[in-house]
Amino acid sequence: MGFARAAHGWWIRENKREDIQAFVGKSFKALDHAVALCLNIESCQGKQWLEALSGLADVTSGTVAAEAQRATALALTYQGLILSGLDEKDAAQFSLPFREGMTEGNRARRLHDVKAERGDGHRHGWKWSGCRKTAEHEVHALLLLYASDYDDLCMWQSQVEAALSKRGCRVEICVNLTMMKTAEGGMKEHFGFADGISQPLPLDDYWDENDTRADAYQKQGTTYVEPAFTINEELHLSLSERSYNGIPTGDVLFGRPDSFRELPPSPFLSVDEDTAANLLAHGNAPPGFRDFGFDGSYLVVRQLRQDVAGFWADVWKNAEMLGISADEMAARMMGRTPSGELLRPVVDQQTLADVAQSKAIWQLAKQAGNAILPTQATTSEEHGFALADPYGFGCPLGSHVRRANPRDGGAKNAREIPKRLDSVNNHRILRRGRPYGPEVSGPLDGSDSEERGLLFMCLNTDIARQFEFIQETWLLSRQFQQLGETDPILGPNGRYTMQDRPIRRNVDVQTFVHPIGGEYFFLPGMKAIEYLKARQKEES
Amino acid sequence: MDYSIATMALEIHSVQLPRVRQLLDCHFPFDGRTETASGRYEKLRNRIYAELPMLHFFGIMIFEDQHYDPLLAIQINVDGDIGPFWTAIEASFGDELRALIRCSKRPRNREAPLFDTIVADGSTTPLAPYLSMKTRRPVTDYRGARRFSRDRIVSESLLYERVQKELGNGIRWKGQSARAINQTLREKFRAEIKTLSRDPHPWKASFVDWAKLALLVLALLATITITLGATTAILSLILGPGLITSCIIFAIVTVSFLWRKLVKDGRPVPQPRLRSILLFASIGVSVIGAWSWLGTEILVIIYQKLLALKSYACIFVTNDMIAGYLSCLEAAKEIRAVAFPHILNAFLGGLLTLAILVIWLRRLESTDATHDGVKLPNRMMKGMRSYEDWGMQNQMCSLLTVKPGILRTIILRVSHLLLSRLARTLYTNGVLGSMRTIHFAHWAVLNRDGRLIFFSNFDGSWESYLNDFTEKASFGVNLAWSQCLGFPPNMYVILGGSALGRQFKAWARHSMTQSCFWYSAYPHLSVEMIHRNARVAAGLASLHLEDADAWARDL
């Protein structure tokens, strides 16, 4: 658990953080209160709307002091970047998913946001997106305000809104983010489960062509120490060579090589055409050009409405049918206990004896601590499924956490484990989401009219390979693990199988999580924001 | 023949393209929805399913190209041979196919007379011979579920569904042993199990397949060393082995020192790691050493046999068997002493020539124009995307021009020979570098190595399929595609290329076209599911279930 928390801290050296938004490295856990303002800036032309934030809500840079009481993050859609001063031909250098947006017809179908409909139809019930054709409100920018004090946040928010409206900027949607904590102090979502636990760990610094991931990691000299992962030296040395959740920094931050050792396409601006471009970093741009995307990242935002009463009623019904407690039923769907421990199989004496004979599994079991004991759960984020839970008797193969991050689960033998892990880690995302709406208090009587849910936010640099891949190939694919079903939490109504002995049990689950808004944003680096401000000044 | 994969390609008159599209729209309606199909497509699907029982996957594509006339390509994946399929499809869709052939260009070779009789007014000449003539066999093919006929796949899937229904939510079986559950189900489905067509032996690489791979490798080595080393061997015979050996060794050392300058590497491609260089080098040295030794020994044995024959002949004359045998041994020693230097020279010469070929290739590779920032017209991209990801399965079809030059053609052919052999030996049981998502895939060459066509029917999204290529099968993909125009920068054929995920995806997307029609006999099944259904069925059918628990886990 200590390790998992460390992953929320910074992984970029202090002297290189200055131009990166603090949001990239921190989830501002100390700042309990937050609000997400979805802005429409189409009537801001010539009014320098970004200046409205100056002095009032300056975007927080990575060098911010740990005890700061307020923090701000800013992200813009493709249209938002163009409206804010980025030239259209430069913006066209961004990757296709970002340019098209989350609600483009075929994409929305692949993300299961529309059901088998062709064309850019109106998303049923979508409140906002980057395109008016697909939702009620068109949003161009996302402004996130975090504060430690609620009253302070309210006051600050009204000041910011007033300043923005002066410059023609409309607040289309305002999402009040809450912070709910588990008994252990971790973050919790409305269904009552710990959230944001399994995070990838970006390995610091620029990728050197000759470095392995492990080398790059050792060079950094950060303050926290990664626990050694040595299960079975002779079988899979490569696991100990690298970090279990390690990903190249380029997977969450522009300008560095990513998992495929490539650079995410980023707009290169010519200094000859545009003097303001001098404000930008050189980054990876050729001489005479500047790198607009450098130190930025794509921010995927989805507003997911949760029907808590409905969910638990459904869980109760299914639990009763199977003769188990509702908590266990829900945990089996999630793959974790509410406090965030990963489910593990209960092991009988015979298996224990078998395992004792096999060195590899025995050592892993020891590493995992309680994996073999019938406590059924583990807190470590450092080991996979292939050896400890290959058949899903503990954490079901189709459970939410196992779909969202299959780790080494698909490995068919011990030699395949490191390969599997490598390939799975090519698709990780850095999550930054928070719940919104009031916390559920007291028993629900089945009618939950309150608007609440999760504002899912994640950072990645290749939307197609990371966010969309997870959504499409892992969470919502019926081909996943040959189950023929989809995610029990996010997927459409359908069957949900829990592996068991002698045979599996299954139930019919319904969906109580509905997306009601979302878009792909770009979270620019500090220099890119300065550049946009300069461009707006020129224009006016 | 368990199954056949093939491509039938017809060149279309550009002016007839609208007519062809109209014909396809009219007779082969398709909107991408294979699983949730309705209306005309569903009707047609059912008809194909009933009338063409050998057919697994079938697709019709039109490739439009700036440099060539449009190409109508049909991919066929069937049980058994292709011939009977053409006869069967002619019986069902003869008129439609004849209309399509009428829009195609008249061949300019021996196929022309047959073409003329087929397209003649009111002609009733059978189409099958012509279609067979136009059919191209793949240079490399791959199948994820070998030896599974369509009927077997479908009937096992139906059995699995019935078993699932019987098991219900699983509660009432609690406390029973897996073996007892197996027994109960076996009783229940006795009738169905009997009708299952069973193949007791899962497909495994046979001795013949391995032998063919070994033979291919030997033949390649022999070609390189003997034909390419022949010059040096002759020179060595004329000028004496010592001089030639020292010359070649000097040349090899020079080449290896000047390697970096000679290959002119101007592109940032990932450099091979020292470990893999050493691995390849050691394999090369040991193989060439062994081959060289083998060559000498073969020569010695031949000579010994000849001498032995001669000495047997002598037996009757002189009765001096021992002397004959001794002279035989002496002669062998002599041969070794005389022949070995020449043979070694031949191999060293081969090595040098190979190095020069590699440098040549590397220079070509480093100056090849690559298509890094491929941008498709929005309409094309949307068109393709709108036909994808409607169900579990997807298809990919691409047509590419092969880079010009003799070396490229040779490499293309050799790579595919190697790849097709590897697909039958190492990548058996449907697992291609730990991925098991491909139902049928094949590469075929058109226009005498001028163009390379690729068809694949796979599980999951296109994005994840291409990711698998990059992550797990980049070696094979480079072998298959690296000789095509615009391929991402690669090195020594197998490095780089498809390992550059983003570029490779963009390039591959560019080579594709929207499918006009696609048929899958079992759109709701993935390769893994087919294998699982087979395991469940086998567990019910076999009398001695070894691991009942493992069987029950598949339920």
Side-chain angles (χ1 to χ4, degrees):
Chain A
M1 207 65 179
F3 172 73
R5 294 238 178 78
H8 294 290
W10 265 107
W11 25 263
I12 289 277
R13 263 186 251 173
E14 189 135 21
N15 58 0
K16 286 179 181 164
R17 288 180 208 163
E18 198 187 340
D19 299 330
I20 307 171
Q21 288 201 33
F23 182 82
V24 174
K26 292 172 152 205
S27 49
F28 305 119
K29 279 216 164 157
L31 308 178
D32 279 352
H33 308 280
V35 62
L37 302 176
C38 301
L39 311 176
N40 184 311
I41 54 171
E42 63 193 354
S43 40
C44 296
Q45 241 38 16
K47 292 183 186 159
Q48 299 188 49
W49 78 272
L50 279 169
E51 278 305 319
L53 304 177
S54 295
L56 186 59
D58 284 310
V59 175
T60 313
S61 125
T63 45
V64 68
E67 58 279 0
Q69 299 296 302
R70 281 178 178 182
T72 311
L74 175 71
L76 298 139
T77 65
Y78 177 66
Q79 209 54 44
L81 281 172
I82 292 169
L83 287 172
S84 299
L86 185 65
D87 203 272
E88 202 161 345
K89 72 171 186 311
D90 293 325
Q93 297 176 48
F94 276 111
S95 69
L96 187 70
F98 175 65
R99 281 183 282 131
E100 284 185 342
M102 187 186 275
T103 51
E104 185 267 332
N106 289 311
R107 175 162 293 108
R109 171 169 60 79
R110 288 187 291 117
L111 296 174
H112 286 227
D113 291 341
V114 285
K115 303 279 173 294
E117 288 296 325
R118 242 163 223 258
D120 285 16
H122 194 87
R123 309 285 165 277
H124 179 69
W126 271 55
K127 276 165 60 184
W128 64 273
S129 78
C131 174
R132 181 157 297 120
K133 278 187 227 155
T134 58
E136 287 167 49
H137 300 275
E138 181 170 313
V139 168
H140 300 125
L142 181 75
L143 184 67
L144 290 157
L145 304 176
Y146 295 86
S148 58
D149 184 70
Y150 182 69
D151 296 331
D152 179 43
L153 179 72
C154 293
M155 192 186 71
W156 187 27
Q157 183 190 341
S158 57
Q159 285 170 350
V160 170
E161 282 182 9
L164 284 170
S165 69
K166 255 187 223 159
R167 292 176 190 261
C169 183
R170 277 201 316 275
V171 177
E172 292 278 341
I173 300 277
C174 166
V175 186
N176 289 305
L177 305 179
T178 46
M179 181 65 123
M180 301 181 296
K181 291 198 169 143
T182 60
E184 290 80 16
M187 221 167 75
K188 198 170 84 168
E189 50 74 58
H190 284 293
F191 290 155
F193 284 82
D195 194 18
I197 300 173
S198 183
Q199 292 273 34
L201 178 66
L203 303 177
D204 182 28
D205 238 308
Y206 301 129
W207 183 300
D208 190 303
E209 191 58 27
N210 301 317
D211 276 355
T212 63
R213 293 180 184 194
D215 289 341
Y217 185 72
Q218 275 156 11
K219 270 190 202 159
Q220 67 177 11
T222 43
T223 47
Y224 59 90
V225 179
E226 187 188 16
F229 188 74
T230 46
I231 324 164
N232 186 339
E233 272 97 15
E234 70 258 42
L235 269 181
H236 25 82
L237 202 67
S238 76
L239 277 193
S240 55
E241 276 174 8
R242 41 166 291 175
S243 153
Y244 196 85
N245 286 302
I247 57 166
T249 306
D251 268 358
V252 288
L253 203 57
F254 268 57
R256 287 91 178 147
D258 61 17
S259 287
F260 289 165
R261 298 186 166 207
E262 292 172 291
L263 296 166
S266 164
F268 292 161
L269 275 54
S270 163
V271 258
D272 304 329
E273 292 169 19
D274 181 5
T275 46
N278 278 310
L279 291 168
L280 292 168
H282 283 275
N284 298 295
F289 291 86
R290 295 290 183 274
D291 191 345
F292 179 83
F294 197 73
D295 283 339
S297 182
Y298 289 124
L299 178 68
V300 176
V301 181
R302 281 168 80 79
Q303 189 176 359
L304 305 170
R305 178 193 279 151
Q306 287 171 285
D307 176 0
V308 180
F311 173 78
W312 281 102
D314 193 49
V315 168
W316 267 107
K317 189 194 82 199
N318 284 329
E320 216 161 72
M321 205 166 68
L322 295 184
I324 55 176
S325 74
D327 269 356
E328 190 190 338
M329 180 67 224
R332 291 271 174 189
M333 287 163 71
M334 203 64 87
R336 288 184 192 277
T337 62
S339 55
E341 295 150 324
L342 207 60
L343 297 186
R344 285 291 172 197
V346 185
V347 175
D348 57 25
Q349 290 302 313
Q350 181 54 44
T351 319
L352 204 61
D354 289 347
V355 160
Q357 282 172 2
S358 147
K359 199 180 158 201
I361 300 183
W362 181 237
Q363 285 194 350
L364 180 93
K366 273 198 289 188
Q367 180 91 12
N370 45 14
I372 281 308
L373 302 171
T375 47
Q376 276 194 307
T378 174
T379 50
S380 171
E381 288 307 307
E382 277 289 287
H383 55 74
F385 299 113
L387 293 178
D389 191 6
Y391 309 121
F393 293 144
C395 183
L397 298 177
S399 62
H400 179 67
V401 298
R402 202 156 172 170
R403 276 178 180 273
N405 180 11
R407 308 183 189 196
D408 56 0
K412 298 210 166 56
N413 54 49
R415 263 188 321 174
E416 233 180 63
I417 292 176
K419 273 195 234 160
R420 203 69 192 189
L421 201 55
D422 271 337
S423 109
V424 163
N425 279 345
N426 287 346
H427 307 283
R428 303 290 297 273
I429 48 174
L430 197 62
R431 286 176 297 153
R432 287 282 178 260
R434 274 195 190 198
Y436 71 89
E439 187 171 358
V440 177
S441 54
L444 289 160
D445 56 357
S447 58
D448 182 12
S449 54
E450 202 75 56
E451 177 77 34
R452 59 166 74 87
L454 180 76
L455 190 70
F456 171 88
M457 292 185 276
C458 77
L459 293 168
N460 56 181
T461 55
D462 189 340
I463 297 173
R465 172 168 57 83
Q466 294 172 280
F467 167 72
E468 286 181 359
F469 185 94
I470 294 175
Q471 187 86 2
E472 206 188 334
T473 305
W474 290 344
L475 289 172
L476 299 173
S477 168
R478 288 190 293 108
Q479 171 216 347
F480 187 84
Q481 296 279 1
Q482 324 138 49
L483 290 165
E485 48 196 53
T486 57
D487 188 89
I489 308 290
L490 298 177
N493 296 356
R495 194 187 62 191
Y496 174 60
T497 301
M498 288 160 282
Q499 289 71 31
D500 204 348
R501 277 161 291 192
I503 57 158
R504 87 288 176 287
R505 295 170 293 177
N506 60 32
V507 290
D508 285 321
V509 290
Q510 289 176 45
T511 175
F512 297 99
V513 178
H514 299 278
I516 55 166
E519 192 47 74
Y520 296 147
F521 291 88
F522 180 70
L523 188 90
M526 305 300 289
K527 283 184 169 168
I529 296 174
E530 288 310 310
Y531 165 79
L532 291 177
K533 280 184 184 170
R535 284 282 296 195
Q536 290 183 4
K537 210 173 210 170
E538 277 173 24
E539 276 171 25
S540 67
Chain B
M1 179 77 61
D2 294 336
Y3 65 92
S4 304
I5 307 183
T7 294
M8 203 277 294
L10 293 175
E11 277 183 83
I12 304 281
H13 284 292
S14 319
V15 287
Q16 299 281 21
L17 187 63
R19 175 161 294 121
V20 172
R21 288 203 184 278
Q22 196 187 1
L23 274 170
L24 291 175
D25 277 346
C26 177
H27 300 297
F28 295 98
F30 179 60
D31 61 355
R33 288 178 231 195
T34 44
E35 243 178 287
T36 53
S38 58
R40 286 165 66 213
Y41 174 68
E42 179 65 5
K43 240 187 223 164
L44 180 65
R45 223 190 77 81
N46 291 338
R47 198 178 141 206
I48 294 176
Y49 186 85
E51 293 176 13
L52 300 168
M54 72 290 266
L55 192 58
H56 289 259
F57 291 90
F58 178 74
I60 307 178
M61 250 69 52
I62 293 175
F63 291 96
E64 284 182 70
D65 190 317
Q66 288 187 337
H67 306 101
Y68 298 95
D69 277 334
L71 189 82
L72 177 89
I74 297 183
Q75 65 143 335
I76 310 126
N77 307 279
V78 290
D79 291 323
D81 227 333
I82 292 281
F85 168 75
W86 284 130
T87 319
I89 200 171
E90 195 187 340
S92 301
F93 300 97
D95 295 341
E96 291 87 339
L97 285 173
R98 196 182 300 274
L100 284 175
I101 293 174
R102 282 207 166 104
C103 297
S104 75
K105 283 161 73 174
R106 182 177 185 270
R108 283 165 297 167
N109 56 4
R110 62 189 169 80
E111 293 161 0
L114 190 54
F115 176 83
D116 293 337
T117 53
I118 283 172
V119 299
D121 284 350
S123 165
T124 51
T125 319
L127 304 170
Y130 184 73
L131 294 172
S132 293
M133 229 177 232
K134 281 281 175 196
T135 302
R136 294 282 166 272
R137 292 284 177 175
V139 281
T140 297
D141 70 78
Y142 184 77
R143 193 177 166 193
R146 282 175 197 275
R147 292 223 172 154
F148 282 76
S149 67
R150 188 201 77 171
D151 287 338
R152 178 179 173 190
I153 292 172
V154 172
S155 59
E156 281 173 351
S157 143
L158 285 176
L159 178 69
Y160 182 82
E161 271 164 35
R162 294 202 55 184
V163 167
Q164 284 300 315
K165 213 169 178 188
E166 179 67 20
L167 291 172
N169 63 8
I171 293 298
R172 71 189 168 96
W173 306 87
K174 202 148 183 75
Q176 293 194 33
S177 74
R179 201 166 286 280
I181 295 173
N182 181 275
Q183 280 299 334
T184 317
L185 291 176
R186 191 177 296 203
E187 290 298 315
K188 173 98 187 162
F189 296 109
R190 191 185 291 274
E192 280 93 334
I193 292 162
K194 268 189 193 151
T195 60
L196 287 182
S197 59
R198 264 180 295 126
D199 176 12
H201 309 292
W203 202 88
K204 269 199 184 115
S206 66
F207 174 73
V208 179
D209 286 307
W210 282 105
K212 276 184 182 168
L213 177 66
L215 250 162
L216 176 72
V217 173
L218 285 179
L220 286 178
L221 281 174
T223 316
I224 291 165
T225 50
I226 294 172
T227 57
L228 301 180
T231 335
T232 44
I234 292 165
L235 278 178
S236 138
L237 279 171
I238 298 168
L239 299 174
L243 178 72
I244 297 300
T245 311
S246 38
C247 280
I248 297 171
I249 287 177
F250 177 72
I252 289 178
V253 170
T254 318
V255 164
S256 55
F257 268 102
L258 293 177
W259 191 270
R260 286 205 166 259
K261 278 199 170 168
L262 288 169
V263 296
K264 289 224 173 114
D265 204 339
R267 234 170 256 278
V269 287
Q271 295 283 331
R273 293 170 77 175
L274 189 66
R275 215 165 50 183
S276 50
I277 291 177
L278 287 178
L279 184 78
F280 279 116
S282 55
I283 289 172
V285 165
S286 48
V287 164
I288 283 183
W291 188 238
S292 173
W293 172 82
L294 196 73
T296 319
E297 286 308 305
I298 289 172
L299 213 67
V300 167
I301 289 167
I302 292 169
Y303 199 77
Q304 270 180 345
K305 289 283 166 205
L306 284 175
L307 272 189
L309 276 177
K310 202 178 154 196
S311 64
Y312 286 138
C314 290
I315 287 170
F316 305 102
V317 184
T318 64
N319 261 349
D320 195 354
M321 277 166 75
I322 297 164
Y325 183 66
L326 280 179
S327 75
C328 191
L329 279 184
E330 281 297 312
K333 254 186 206 167
E334 220 167 273
I335 297 234
R336 276 195 192 102
V338 173
F340 189 74
H342 295 301
I343 292 180
L344 191 72
N345 271 349
F347 283 107
L348 285 175
L351 190 68
L352 183 65
T353 327
L354 191 64
I356 291 166
L357 279 181
V358 170
I359 288 170
W360 179 15
L361 169 75
R362 196 57 215 123
R363 289 184 84 124
L364 287 177
E365 279 176 349
S366 62
T367 49
D368 271 341
T370 59
H371 209 166
D372 296 352
V374 190
K375 277 203 174 149
L376 274 174
N378 223 353
R379 178 186 55 82
M380 191 70 181
M381 190 74 181
K382 282 206 170 183
M384 276 188 228
R385 281 274 163 95
S386 68
Y387 279 75
E388 285 171 8
D389 298 315
W390 286 92
M392 198 174 295
Q393 300 169 353
N394 273 305
Q395 63 142 1
M396 173 175 172
C397 43
S398 95
L399 179 68
L400 286 152
T401 311
V402 178
K403 291 171 183 170
I406 177 92
L407 187 63
R408 305 318 188 113
T409 312
I410 292 172
I411 293 173
L412 176 82
R413 278 299 184 160
V414 169
S415 312
H416 275 284
L417 270 176
L418 204 61
L419 196 61
S420 61
R421 284 292 125 211
L422 286 175
R424 276 161 200 278
T425 47
L426 285 179
Y427 306 129
T428 52
N429 210 14
V431 184
L432 181 68
S434 87
M435 65 194 253
R436 198 177 189 172
T437 51
I438 301 171
H439 288 269
F440 286 85
H442 77 278
W443 279 273
V445 290
L446 301 176
N447 314 109
R448 303 242 169 247
D449 301 326
R451 287 193 280 180
L452 188 67
I453 202 164
F454 171 69
F455 282 109
S456 179
N457 306 286
F458 56 91
D459 297 324
S461 67
W462 180 85
E463 197 78 35
S464 75
Y465 183 53
L466 271 270
N467 267 318
D468 279 346
F469 273 177
T470 300
E471 288 167 4
K472 298 160 190 164
S474 122
F475 170 78
V477 172
N478 283 354
L479 276 185
W481 263 327
S482 63
Q483 302 314 313
C484 292
L485 282 182
F487 193 70
N490 68 326
M491 213 170 158
Y492 309 117
V493 181
I494 52 170
L495 299 172
S498 63
L500 304 167
R502 205 187 298 264
Q503 274 187 41
F504 173 64
K505 270 188 228 171
W507 174 82
R509 183 55 99 180
H510 187 259
S511 72
M512 290 166 60
T513 189
Q514 192 180 312
S515 59
C516 295
F517 179 75
W518 187 50
Y519 162 85
S520 163
Y522 33 84
H524 54 286
L525 290 176
S526 70
V527 180
E528 289 281 5
M529 286 175 176
I530 292 171
H531 281 278
R532 180 206 53 203
N533 295 348
R535 287 196 299 271
V536 170
L540 285 174
S542 69
L543 291 174
H544 305 288
L545 188 61
E546 272 173 23
D547 190 349
D549 288 321
W551 174 81
R553 282 199 295 270
D554 275 327
L555 289 176

